[in-house]
């Protein structure tokens, strides 16, 4: 796809075929990780991919209607971490999305505040792959989940950020988004 790139950090996805290839991130999604991004979604229904990986423990993070959904590898179950993450109060405006995984618990943050968590009772399988990581699309099967909206400044850490670190990151940039 050909997403509209506003600058080196902000991209507008059309919901049809746009995505960015983030390449291979060796050993990032192993035991613990954090993924964060500023997200502006235009949708209130359907599946819209935020990030998908071809490696490690994380499989995907996506919008499922108003829910934020996360899947770790080794589980066919998709965790709907919170059912109202993208409710009407959080659509058509910037939201600082953060997902933290410590090896057993997934935590979802919105605008620096933890909104939900879920314990994974599965053996995580790690996939080493050169298929890479995508922003804005799930491109690893016969169906597509393209994101409709804007994504700004995706950050990936190979460790669990603390609640204070998540809040600090939100506070450091919220002024740019009128929050």
């Amino acid at each position: 796809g050909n997403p509209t790139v506003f600058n080196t950090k902000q991209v507008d996805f059309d919901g049809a075929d746009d995505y960015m290839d983030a390449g291979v991130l060796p050993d990032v999604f192993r035991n613990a990780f954090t993924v964060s991004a500023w997200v502006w979604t235009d949708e209130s229904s359907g599946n819209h991919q935020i990030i998908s990986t071809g490696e490690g423990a994380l499989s995907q993070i996506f919008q499922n209607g108003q829910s934020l959904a996360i899947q770790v590898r080794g589980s066919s179950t998709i965790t709907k971490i919170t059912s109202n993450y993208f409710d009407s109060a959080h659509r058509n405006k910037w939201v600082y999305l953060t997902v933290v995984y410590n090896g057993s618990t997934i935590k979802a943050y919105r605008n620096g505040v933890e909104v939900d968590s879920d314990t994974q009772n599965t053996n995580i399988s790690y996939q080493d792959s050169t298929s890479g990581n995508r922003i804005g699309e799930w491109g690893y099967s016969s169906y597509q989940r393209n994101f409709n909206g804007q994504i700004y400044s995706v950050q990936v850490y190979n460790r669990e950020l603390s609640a204070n670190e998540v809040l600090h990151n939100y506070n450091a940039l919220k002024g740019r988004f009128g929050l």
Side-chain angles (χ1 to χ4, degrees), residues 112 167 170:
L167 182 60
Y170 166 72

Side-chain angles (χ1 to χ4, degrees), residues 111-132:
N111 295 341
V113 177
E114 183 179 337
V115 293
D116 207 349
S117 65
D118 186 70
T119 301
Q120 296 296 295
N121 295 320
T122 185
N123 293 325
I124 302 300
S125 65
Y126 299 98
Q127 177 176 333
D128 290 317
S129 172
T130 57
S131 62

Side-chain angles (χ1 to χ4, degrees), residues 4-13 20 22 25 34-40 50-51 61 94-99 135-136 147 149-157 161 166 169-170 172-174 176-177:
T4 302
V5 179
F6 291 100
N7 56 48
T8 58
K9 296 180 181 175
Q10 181 179 339
V11 180
D12 187 15
F13 298 91
M20 292 188 71
L25 303 171
T34 302
V35 177
S36 64
W38 288 90
V39 176
W40 177 298
I50 297 166
I51 187 168
I61 301 170
W94 287 105
V95 172
Y96 184 62
L97 175 152
T98 305
V99 173
I135 299 169
F147 190 75
Q150 297 176 41
I151 300 175
Y152 178 90
S153 188
V154 175
Q155 298 172 324
V156 179
Y157 301 84
L161 291 188
V166 172
N169 289 350
Y170 166 72
L173 292 177
K174 70 180 184 180
R176 293 183 185 183
F177 301 96

Side-chain angles (χ1 to χ4, degrees), residues 31-98:
N31 298 315
F33 58 81
T34 302
V35 177
S36 64
W38 288 90
V39 176
W40 177 298
T41 181
D42 302 329
E43 297 291 337
S44 62
S45 63
N47 294 319
H48 306 280
Q49 200 69 28
I50 297 166
I51 187 168
S52 58
T53 70
E55 59 195 322
L58 176 66
S59 180
Q60 57 183 324
I61 301 170
F62 65 98
Q63 176 190 359
N64 175 251
Q66 293 187 24
S67 299
L68 178 65
I70 302 157
Q71 183 178 21
V72 292
R73 224 171 284 289
S75 170
S76 60
T77 303
I78 294 173
T79 301
K80 286 186 183 177
I81 195 74
T82 183
S83 61
N84 64 350
Y85 197 92
F86 293 108
D87 60 11
S88 60
H90 298 96
R91 280 193 314 273
N92 297 310
K93 62 174 63 174
W94 287 105
V95 172
Y96 184 62
L97 175 152
T98 305

